[in-house]
Amino acid sequence: MNNELLAELLYPNIKTLPADIEARYPKRVLPEGAKVTRFAPSPTGFLHIGNLYGAFTDERLAHTTGGIFYLRIEDTDAKRTVPNGIAIIIETLAKLGVIFDEGAVIDGDNGAYGPYRQSERAEIYQTFAKQLIREGKAYPCFCTEEELEAIREKQESEKLNPGYYGEFAIWRDAPIEKIQEKLDNGEAFVLRFRSEGNINNKLKFGDEIKGTIDVTENDIDHVILKSDGIPTYHFAHAVDDHLMGTTHVVRDESWLSTLPFHIQLFKALGFKMPKYCHTAQVLKLDNGNKRKISKRKDPEAALTYYHSQGYPVAAVREYLMTLLNSNFEEWRLANPNAPIEDFKFTTKKMSVSGSLFDLDKLNDVSKNVISRMTAEEVYDLTLAWAKENDPEFASVLEADKEYAVRILSIGRGGKKPRKDIALWSEVKNYMSFFYNGLFAPVDAVPKTFEKSDVSAILNAFAAAYDENDAQDVWFSKIKEIASANGFCPDMKLYKADPSAFKGSVADVSMFLRVAVTGRMNSPDLYEVMQILGRETVLARIKAFAS
Ligand code: GLU
């Protein structure tokens, strides 16, 4: 076979040679040990929590070594591409604090190693593919869908491995005249890789996360260029990661099955293989069983969920880090206030078998993160969230910033800050009783108490209330009112003989709390009353007592 002739016949328009392309991609000049990573999604409009898991790994590997983290868009499958897919990727990740140094941007490219959209790189792929043909490492295949289907059926019925290999690789050694004839007829072809692999050969592969793994050689002649000249993922990633200087490929473990083919491709192309980090799947518990988080079943699978629910970026990052590195939590306990960037991220501490994602745990992390913020920060972040998701609440917050910050200051800043907010979407409910326009009682005083007792106590409090009282004076007045109405002012005494009283001072406080806040639980009632102001406190108490 005259391979040179075949290459010209198949791709006559490709005039460039690999060396011409290589010259456009000079070696990166980076500090010793710097890692170059890429996030390489398809612009389908959907980003999965597993994408974020990988993107964080990429980002940390690059940024802890003085390297580069870039965005490459794998849009070779037009059917899966949505019009604003790139904007969705960039914006969704930016909202979660993932920022690229280089790569595709909404209206073009940023960086010297582009184009960063695979759809704009056809000439590059075809140049390398043409070289493989010249070297006898690739050949055209004119099989129709029906022929391929017939091969599949035969393999299934004879219980053979599926795929285009051995006796099934009918175009592998086709004479050039036959190829010429098909081309003259204008028939479509795909370009296949000529595999020299044998499935009886095993080899060892060093993965950065999984360690040393056994892989079986590939014997299938996979497609590298489709009939429209557009590459498959396998071929495109090899060419791109080589030219773009990727040192570490972080990708989902589902790619392990085609890794043997990728090893062959790099070798055939004469490229040095980057290091591979195959990430475990993100799992969740479902009725006690672990399963993969599913786009279809679990709202938390979508990255947009975290933004729309109002998780602080810092909480998502913090939680993801606990999933990514098994020693992160321990580090955090020892370094409660250190910036997350100080943590020494490593692929060696990543899960090999699967990372269990737990929304309750994320909520706890989020409560902790928010409890460490100042009232001002909580205000700013809640407002930013509300502007996008609840404009009405945003205008309430903006109408009186000082008032809102006072509310958010309750129980904040001390050694044991309150931990009752996990999401920005919860803040409205948390603050609502401070605003007459949002006040909507949720709890009532239990029916076990006489209505007349409750009213008498509330009226007595209203008569005695002085907003200038210090907290201890305020509380002794409550005790006096309790006592005067048959409620025990002292908890110890009450517990010794509850039947001697109608209730305790705790019940009296609860009447006041329910009247003023509409709930059984609230932050410190004295502070609540101070912020609400005399007029509102008395109006709510009187309304409740009547
Ligand atoms: N486009 C591939 C995907 O979305 C990327 C895999 C890789 O990062 O190499 O799964």
Side-chain angles (χ1 to χ4, degrees), residues 244-273:
M244 296 179 184
T246 308
T247 63
H248 287 67
V249 169
V250 177
R251 64 182 186 187
D252 185 272
E253 67 183 12
S254 57
W255 293 109
L256 276 173
S257 58
T258 39
L259 176 69
F261 172 40
H262 302 157
I263 298 172
Q264 288 176 313
L265 272 177
F266 274 88
K267 194 152 171 244
L269 288 160
F271 300 159
K272 178 172 179 274
M273 256 196 129

PDB file of all heavy atoms in Angstrom, residues 244-273:
ATOM      1  N   MET A 244      -1.266  21.774  23.831  1.00  0.00           N
ATOM      2  CA  MET A 244      -1.551  22.806  24.826  1.00  0.00           C
ATOM      3  C   MET A 244      -0.690  22.652  26.083  1.00  0.00           C
ATOM      4  O   MET A 244      -0.810  23.412  27.030  1.00  0.00           O
ATOM      5  CB  MET A 244      -3.040  22.801  25.167  1.00  0.00           C
ATOM      6  CG  MET A 244      -3.911  23.160  23.963  1.00  0.00           C
ATOM      7  SD  MET A 244      -5.672  23.117  24.360  1.00  0.00           S
ATOM      8  CE  MET A 244      -6.399  23.467  22.749  1.00  0.00           C
ATOM      9  N   GLY A 245       0.154  21.649  26.080  1.00  0.00           N
ATOM     10  CA  GLY A 245       1.115  21.508  27.178  1.00  0.00           C
ATOM     11  C   GLY A 245       0.505  21.048  28.487  1.00  0.00           C
ATOM     12  O   GLY A 245       1.019  21.358  29.571  1.00  0.00           O
ATOM     13  N   THR A 246      -0.595  20.299  28.417  1.00  0.00           N
ATOM     14  CA  THR A 246      -1.212  19.780  29.639  1.00  0.00           C
ATOM     15  C   THR A 246      -0.242  18.807  30.309  1.00  0.00           C
ATOM     16  O   THR A 246       0.282  17.907  29.644  1.00  0.00           O
ATOM     17  CB  THR A 246      -2.512  19.021  29.287  1.00  0.00           C
ATOM     18  OG1 THR A 246      -3.323  19.869  28.482  1.00  0.00           O
ATOM     19  CG2 THR A 246      -3.263  18.600  30.537  1.00  0.00           C
ATOM     20  N   THR A 247      -0.029  18.985  31.603  1.00  0.00           N
ATOM     21  CA  THR A 247       0.833  18.020  32.297  1.00  0.00           C
ATOM     22  C   THR A 247      -0.007  16.976  33.037  1.00  0.00           C
ATOM     23  O   THR A 247       0.442  15.852  33.234  1.00  0.00           O
ATOM     24  CB  THR A 247       1.756  18.701  33.330  1.00  0.00           C
ATOM     25  OG1 THR A 247       0.932  19.309  34.343  1.00  0.00           O
ATOM     26  CG2 THR A 247       2.653  19.751  32.678  1.00  0.00           C
ATOM     27  N   HIS A 248      -1.237  17.374  33.465  1.00  0.00           N
ATOM     28  CA  HIS A 248      -2.086  16.464  34.239  1.00  0.00           C
ATOM     29  C   HIS A 248      -3.506  16.479  33.693  1.00  0.00           C
ATOM     30  O   HIS A 248      -4.149  17.530  33.676  1.00  0.00           O
ATOM     31  CB  HIS A 248      -2.104  16.868  35.720  1.00  0.00           C
ATOM     32  CG  HIS A 248      -0.812  16.552  36.412  1.00  0.00           C
ATOM     33  ND1 HIS A 248       0.358  17.200  36.110  1.00  0.00           N
ATOM     34  CD2 HIS A 248      -0.525  15.642  37.373  1.00  0.00           C
ATOM     35  CE1 HIS A 248       1.328  16.700  36.849  1.00  0.00           C
ATOM     36  NE2 HIS A 248       0.833  15.756  37.629  1.00  0.00           N
ATOM     37  N   VAL A 249      -3.968  15.328  33.265  1.00  0.00           N
ATOM     38  CA  VAL A 249      -5.345  15.203  32.791  1.00  0.00           C
ATOM     39  C   VAL A 249      -6.197  14.678  33.950  1.00  0.00           C
ATOM     40  O   VAL A 249      -5.974  13.562  34.423  1.00  0.00           O
ATOM     41  CB  VAL A 249      -5.433  14.214  31.603  1.00  0.00           C
ATOM     42  CG1 VAL A 249      -6.881  13.884  31.277  1.00  0.00           C
ATOM     43  CG2 VAL A 249      -4.726  14.788  30.392  1.00  0.00           C
ATOM     44  N   VAL A 250      -7.123  15.518  34.403  1.00  0.00           N
ATOM     45  CA  VAL A 250      -8.040  15.091  35.465  1.00  0.00           C
ATOM     46  C   VAL A 250      -9.359  14.777  34.781  1.00  0.00           C
ATOM     47  O   VAL A 250      -9.933  15.634  34.108  1.00  0.00           O
ATOM     48  CB  VAL A 250      -8.263  16.230  36.493  1.00  0.00           C
ATOM     49  CG1 VAL A 250      -9.282  15.809  37.546  1.00  0.00           C
ATOM     50  CG2 VAL A 250      -6.946  16.644  37.128  1.00  0.00           C
ATOM     51  N   ARG A 251      -9.818  13.562  34.884  1.00  0.00           N
ATOM     52  CA  ARG A 251     -11.087  13.215  34.253  1.00  0.00           C
ATOM     53  C   ARG A 251     -11.742  12.067  34.996  1.00  0.00           C
ATOM     54  O   ARG A 251     -11.107  11.372  35.794  1.00  0.00           O
ATOM     55  CB  ARG A 251     -10.884  12.882  32.768  1.00  0.00           C
ATOM     56  CG  ARG A 251     -10.031  11.669  32.552  1.00  0.00           C
ATOM     57  CD  ARG A 251      -9.800  11.387  31.076  1.00  0.00           C
ATOM     58  NE  ARG A 251      -9.075  10.124  30.919  1.00  0.00           N
ATOM     59  CZ  ARG A 251      -8.620   9.673  29.765  1.00  0.00           C
ATOM     60  NH1 ARG A 251      -8.812  10.349  28.658  1.00  0.00           N
ATOM     61  NH2 ARG A 251      -7.984   8.517  29.711  1.00  0.00           N
ATOM     62  N   ASP A 252     -13.016  11.898  34.702  1.00  0.00           N
ATOM     63  CA  ASP A 252     -13.833  10.897  35.364  1.00  0.00           C
ATOM     64  C   ASP A 252     -13.301   9.483  35.088  1.00  0.00           C
ATOM     65  O   ASP A 252     -12.780   9.211  34.004  1.00  0.00           O
ATOM     66  CB  ASP A 252     -15.235  11.052  34.778  1.00  0.00           C
ATOM     67  CG  ASP A 252     -16.231  10.170  35.449  1.00  0.00           C
ATOM     68  OD1 ASP A 252     -16.393   9.004  35.020  1.00  0.00           O
ATOM     69  OD2 ASP A 252     -16.840  10.644  36.412  1.00  0.00           O
ATOM     70  N   GLU A 253     -13.464   8.602  36.081  1.00  0.00           N
ATOM     71  CA  GLU A 253     -12.930   7.243  35.929  1.00  0.00           C
ATOM     72  C   GLU A 253     -13.613   6.435  34.826  1.00  0.00           C
ATOM     73  O   GLU A 253     -13.112   5.386  34.431  1.00  0.00           O
ATOM     74  CB  GLU A 253     -13.013   6.482  37.256  1.00  0.00           C
ATOM     75  CG  GLU A 253     -14.430   6.202  37.710  1.00  0.00           C
ATOM     76  CD  GLU A 253     -14.511   5.507  39.053  1.00  0.00           C
ATOM     77  OE1 GLU A 253     -13.497   5.425  39.757  1.00  0.00           O
ATOM     78  OE2 GLU A 253     -15.608   5.044  39.410  1.00  0.00           O
ATOM     79  N   SER A 254     -14.743   6.940  34.316  1.00  0.00           N
ATOM     80  CA  SER A 254     -15.392   6.189  33.239  1.00  0.00           C
ATOM     81  C   SER A 254     -14.489   6.141  31.986  1.00  0.00           C
ATOM     82  O   SER A 254     -14.691   5.304  31.109  1.00  0.00           O
ATOM     83  CB  SER A 254     -16.745   6.807  32.886  1.00  0.00           C
ATOM     84  OG  SER A 254     -16.571   8.155  32.523  1.00  0.00           O
ATOM     85  N   TRP A 255     -13.476   7.025  31.933  1.00  0.00           N
ATOM     86  CA  TRP A 255     -12.548   7.006  30.796  1.00  0.00           C
ATOM     87  C   TRP A 255     -11.491   5.911  30.911  1.00  0.00           C
ATOM     88  O   TRP A 255     -10.736   5.681  29.968  1.00  0.00           O
ATOM     89  CB  TRP A 255     -11.861   8.371  30.649  1.00  0.00           C
ATOM     90  CG  TRP A 255     -12.824   9.443  30.245  1.00  0.00           C
ATOM     91  CD1 TRP A 255     -13.272  10.468  31.038  1.00  0.00           C
ATOM     92  CD2 TRP A 255     -13.487   9.597  28.991  1.00  0.00           C
ATOM     93  NE1 TRP A 255     -14.165  11.244  30.348  1.00  0.00           N
ATOM     94  CE2 TRP A 255     -14.321  10.726  29.092  1.00  0.00           C
ATOM     95  CE3 TRP A 255     -13.464   8.871  27.795  1.00  0.00           C
ATOM     96  CZ2 TRP A 255     -15.116  11.162  28.034  1.00  0.00           C
ATOM     97  CZ3 TRP A 255     -14.260   9.306  26.750  1.00  0.00           C
ATOM     98  CH2 TRP A 255     -15.078  10.439  26.876  1.00  0.00           C
ATOM     99  N   LEU A 256     -11.455   5.236  32.048  1.00  0.00           N
ATOM    100  CA  LEU A 256     -10.439   4.183  32.215  1.00  0.00           C
ATOM    101  C   LEU A 256     -10.586   3.088  31.165  1.00  0.00           C
ATOM    102  O   LEU A 256      -9.600   2.494  30.734  1.00  0.00           O
ATOM    103  CB  LEU A 256     -10.555   3.550  33.617  1.00  0.00           C
ATOM    104  CG  LEU A 256      -9.848   4.285  34.758  1.00  0.00           C
ATOM    105  CD1 LEU A 256     -10.191   3.643  36.089  1.00  0.00           C
ATOM    106  CD2 LEU A 256      -8.336   4.290  34.534  1.00  0.00           C
ATOM    107  N   SER A 257     -11.839   2.851  30.755  1.00  0.00           N
ATOM    108  CA  SER A 257     -12.048   1.745  29.809  1.00  0.00           C
ATOM    109  C   SER A 257     -11.389   2.032  28.458  1.00  0.00           C
ATOM    110  O   SER A 257     -11.039   1.097  27.735  1.00  0.00           O
ATOM    111  CB  SER A 257     -13.546   1.484  29.625  1.00  0.00           C
ATOM    112  OG  SER A 257     -14.150   2.663  29.168  1.00  0.00           O
ATOM    113  N   THR A 258     -11.235   3.288  28.094  1.00  0.00           N
ATOM    114  CA  THR A 258     -10.591   3.580  26.805  1.00  0.00           C
ATOM    115  C   THR A 258      -9.144   4.052  26.978  1.00  0.00           C
ATOM    116  O   THR A 258      -8.481   4.387  25.995  1.00  0.00           O
ATOM    117  CB  THR A 258     -11.397   4.623  25.988  1.00  0.00           C
ATOM    118  OG1 THR A 258     -11.900   5.608  26.876  1.00  0.00           O
ATOM    119  CG2 THR A 258     -12.527   3.978  25.223  1.00  0.00           C
ATOM    120  N   LEU A 259      -8.661   4.018  28.224  1.00  0.00           N
ATOM    121  CA  LEU A 259      -7.269   4.411  28.463  1.00  0.00           C
ATOM    122  C   LEU A 259      -6.265   3.617  27.610  1.00  0.00           C
ATOM    123  O   LEU A 259      -5.336   4.207  27.050  1.00  0.00           O
ATOM    124  CB  LEU A 259      -6.961   4.279  29.968  1.00  0.00           C
ATOM    125  CG  LEU A 259      -5.535   4.556  30.384  1.00  0.00           C
ATOM    126  CD1 LEU A 259      -5.195   6.028  30.222  1.00  0.00           C
ATOM    127  CD2 LEU A 259      -5.321   4.155  31.853  1.00  0.00           C
ATOM    128  N   PRO A 260      -6.437   2.282  27.461  1.00  0.00           N
ATOM    129  CA  PRO A 260      -5.465   1.539  26.646  1.00  0.00           C
ATOM    130  C   PRO A 260      -5.368   2.090  25.220  1.00  0.00           C
ATOM    131  O   PRO A 260      -4.287   2.139  24.634  1.00  0.00           O
ATOM    132  CB  PRO A 260      -6.028   0.114  26.636  1.00  0.00           C
ATOM    133  CG  PRO A 260      -6.835   0.033  27.897  1.00  0.00           C
ATOM    134  CD  PRO A 260      -7.436   1.394  28.080  1.00  0.00           C
ATOM    135  N   PHE A 261      -6.485   2.523  24.688  1.00  0.00           N
ATOM    136  CA  PHE A 261      -6.479   3.124  23.352  1.00  0.00           C
ATOM    137  C   PHE A 261      -5.713   4.458  23.390  1.00  0.00           C
ATOM    138  O   PHE A 261      -4.935   4.776  22.490  1.00  0.00           O
ATOM    139  CB  PHE A 261      -7.933   3.299  22.887  1.00  0.00           C
ATOM    140  CG  PHE A 261      -8.107   4.070  21.620  1.00  0.00           C
ATOM    141  CD1 PHE A 261      -7.241   3.899  20.550  1.00  0.00           C
ATOM    142  CD2 PHE A 261      -9.160   4.968  21.471  1.00  0.00           C
ATOM    143  CE1 PHE A 261      -7.413   4.623  19.365  1.00  0.00           C
ATOM    144  CE2 PHE A 261      -9.340   5.683  20.300  1.00  0.00           C
ATOM    145  CZ  PHE A 261      -8.459   5.516  19.247  1.00  0.00           C
ATOM    146  N   HIS A 262      -5.927   5.228  24.451  1.00  0.00           N
ATOM    147  CA  HIS A 262      -5.246   6.520  24.552  1.00  0.00           C
ATOM    148  C   HIS A 262      -3.720   6.327  24.650  1.00  0.00           C
ATOM    149  O   HIS A 262      -2.951   7.087  24.073  1.00  0.00           O
ATOM    150  CB  HIS A 262      -5.783   7.314  25.747  1.00  0.00           C
ATOM    151  CG  HIS A 262      -7.270   7.535  25.658  1.00  0.00           C
ATOM    152  ND1 HIS A 262      -8.072   7.788  26.733  1.00  0.00           N
ATOM    153  CD2 HIS A 262      -8.109   7.478  24.576  1.00  0.00           C
ATOM    154  CE1 HIS A 262      -9.329   7.910  26.341  1.00  0.00           C
ATOM    155  NE2 HIS A 262      -9.367   7.712  25.031  1.00  0.00           N
ATOM    156  N   ILE A 263      -3.327   5.282  25.364  1.00  0.00           N
ATOM    157  CA  ILE A 263      -1.891   5.000  25.479  1.00  0.00           C
ATOM    158  C   ILE A 263      -1.320   4.741  24.086  1.00  0.00           C
ATOM    159  O   ILE A 263      -0.274   5.265  23.703  1.00  0.00           O
ATOM    160  CB  ILE A 263      -1.653   3.783  26.417  1.00  0.00           C
ATOM    161  CG1 ILE A 263      -2.158   4.094  27.837  1.00  0.00           C
ATOM    162  CG2 ILE A 263      -0.171   3.388  26.435  1.00  0.00           C
ATOM    163  CD1 ILE A 263      -2.142   2.906  28.804  1.00  0.00           C
ATOM    164  N   GLN A 264      -2.056   3.958  23.294  1.00  0.00           N
ATOM    165  CA  GLN A 264      -1.598   3.658  21.915  1.00  0.00           C
ATOM    166  C   GLN A 264      -1.522   4.925  21.066  1.00  0.00           C
ATOM    167  O   GLN A 264      -0.579   5.111  20.289  1.00  0.00           O
ATOM    168  CB  GLN A 264      -2.595   2.714  21.229  1.00  0.00           C
ATOM    169  CG  GLN A 264      -2.580   1.294  21.753  1.00  0.00           C
ATOM    170  CD  GLN A 264      -3.678   0.476  21.080  1.00  0.00           C
ATOM    171  OE1 GLN A 264      -4.827   0.915  20.983  1.00  0.00           O
ATOM    172  NE2 GLN A 264      -3.335  -0.718  20.616  1.00  0.00           N
ATOM    173  N   LEU A 265      -2.543   5.770  21.222  1.00  0.00           N
ATOM    174  CA  LEU A 265      -2.580   6.981  20.398  1.00  0.00           C
ATOM    175  C   LEU A 265      -1.378   7.885  20.657  1.00  0.00           C
ATOM    176  O   LEU A 265      -0.744   8.373  19.719  1.00  0.00           O
ATOM    177  CB  LEU A 265      -3.862   7.772  20.709  1.00  0.00           C
ATOM    178  CG  LEU A 265      -5.106   7.418  19.904  1.00  0.00           C
ATOM    179  CD1 LEU A 265      -6.300   8.245  20.388  1.00  0.00           C
ATOM    180  CD2 LEU A 265      -4.884   7.683  18.412  1.00  0.00           C
ATOM    181  N   PHE A 266      -1.092   8.110  21.939  1.00  0.00           N
ATOM    182  CA  PHE A 266       0.045   8.970  22.266  1.00  0.00           C
ATOM    183  C   PHE A 266       1.332   8.407  21.664  1.00  0.00           C
ATOM    184  O   PHE A 266       2.151   9.136  21.130  1.00  0.00           O
ATOM    185  CB  PHE A 266       0.184   9.147  23.784  1.00  0.00           C
ATOM    186  CG  PHE A 266      -0.679  10.266  24.320  1.00  0.00           C
ATOM    187  CD1 PHE A 266      -1.992  10.041  24.698  1.00  0.00           C
ATOM    188  CD2 PHE A 266      -0.170  11.556  24.425  1.00  0.00           C
ATOM    189  CE1 PHE A 266      -2.782  11.073  25.169  1.00  0.00           C
ATOM    190  CE2 PHE A 266      -0.963  12.605  24.891  1.00  0.00           C
ATOM    191  CZ  PHE A 266      -2.277  12.359  25.271  1.00  0.00           C
ATOM    192  N   LYS A 267       1.466   7.091  21.757  1.00  0.00           N
ATOM    193  CA  LYS A 267       2.667   6.445  21.248  1.00  0.00           C
ATOM    194  C   LYS A 267       2.738   6.605  19.722  1.00  0.00           C
ATOM    195  O   LYS A 267       3.768   6.999  19.167  1.00  0.00           O
ATOM    196  CB  LYS A 267       2.628   4.967  21.633  1.00  0.00           C
ATOM    197  CG  LYS A 267       3.931   4.286  21.452  1.00  0.00           C
ATOM    198  CD  LYS A 267       4.070   3.113  22.421  1.00  0.00           C
ATOM    199  CE  LYS A 267       5.301   2.319  22.052  1.00  0.00           C
ATOM    200  NZ  LYS A 267       5.006   0.969  21.611  1.00  0.00           N
ATOM    201  N   ALA A 268       1.616   6.332  19.072  1.00  0.00           N
ATOM    202  CA  ALA A 268       1.600   6.403  17.608  1.00  0.00           C
ATOM    203  C   ALA A 268       1.876   7.826  17.119  1.00  0.00           C
ATOM    204  O   ALA A 268       2.508   8.037  16.090  1.00  0.00           O
ATOM    205  CB  ALA A 268       0.242   5.926  17.095  1.00  0.00           C
ATOM    206  N   LEU A 269       1.398   8.795  17.871  1.00  0.00           N
ATOM    207  CA  LEU A 269       1.588  10.195  17.474  1.00  0.00           C
ATOM    208  C   LEU A 269       2.980  10.706  17.867  1.00  0.00           C
ATOM    209  O   LEU A 269       3.365  11.808  17.476  1.00  0.00           O
ATOM    210  CB  LEU A 269       0.514  11.067  18.135  1.00  0.00           C
ATOM    211  CG  LEU A 269      -0.907  10.921  17.567  1.00  0.00           C
ATOM    212  CD1 LEU A 269      -1.948  11.414  18.559  1.00  0.00           C
ATOM    213  CD2 LEU A 269      -1.044  11.684  16.247  1.00  0.00           C
ATOM    214  N   GLY A 270       3.687   9.926  18.657  1.00  0.00           N
ATOM    215  CA  GLY A 270       5.016  10.350  19.100  1.00  0.00           C
ATOM    216  C   GLY A 270       4.961  11.414  20.183  1.00  0.00           C
ATOM    217  O   GLY A 270       5.881  12.214  20.334  1.00  0.00           O
ATOM    218  N   PHE A 271       3.871  11.430  20.962  1.00  0.00           N
ATOM    219  CA  PHE A 271       3.718  12.419  22.029  1.00  0.00           C
ATOM    220  C   PHE A 271       4.044  11.788  23.380  1.00  0.00           C
ATOM    221  O   PHE A 271       3.706  10.623  23.618  1.00  0.00           O
ATOM    222  CB  PHE A 271       2.272  12.916  22.141  1.00  0.00           C
ATOM    223  CG  PHE A 271       1.715  13.580  20.910  1.00  0.00           C
ATOM    224  CD1 PHE A 271       0.324  13.654  20.743  1.00  0.00           C
ATOM    225  CD2 PHE A 271       2.542  14.150  19.947  1.00  0.00           C
ATOM    226  CE1 PHE A 271      -0.227  14.270  19.632  1.00  0.00           C
ATOM    227  CE2 PHE A 271       1.986  14.772  18.828  1.00  0.00           C
ATOM    228  CZ  PHE A 271       0.602  14.827  18.669  1.00  0.00           C
ATOM    229  N   LYS A 272       4.584  12.628  24.268  1.00  0.00           N
ATOM    230  CA  LYS A 272       4.776  12.171  25.647  1.00  0.00           C
ATOM    231  C   LYS A 272       3.404  12.217  26.335  1.00  0.00           C
ATOM    232  O   LYS A 272       2.673  13.201  26.200  1.00  0.00           O
ATOM    233  CB  LYS A 272       5.738  13.147  26.338  1.00  0.00           C
ATOM    234  CG  LYS A 272       6.004  12.847  27.789  1.00  0.00           C
ATOM    235  CD  LYS A 272       7.132  13.768  28.303  1.00  0.00           C
ATOM    236  CE  LYS A 272       7.422  13.542  29.753  1.00  0.00           C
ATOM    237  NZ  LYS A 272       6.608  14.267  30.673  1.00  0.00           N
ATOM    238  N   MET A 273       3.071  11.172  27.055  1.00  0.00           N
ATOM    239  CA  MET A 273       1.763  11.154  27.722  1.00  0.00           C
ATOM    240  C   MET A 273       1.763  12.069  28.930  1.00  0.00           C
ATOM    241  O   MET A 273       2.725  12.051  29.703  1.00  0.00           O
ATOM    242  CB  MET A 273       1.470   9.743  28.213  1.00  0.00           C
ATOM    243  CG  MET A 273       0.485   9.013  27.364  1.00  0.00           C
ATOM    244  SD  MET A 273      -0.137   7.574  28.237  1.00  0.00           S
ATOM    245  CE  MET A 273      -1.875   7.799  28.059  1.00  0.00           C
TER     246      MET A 273
END
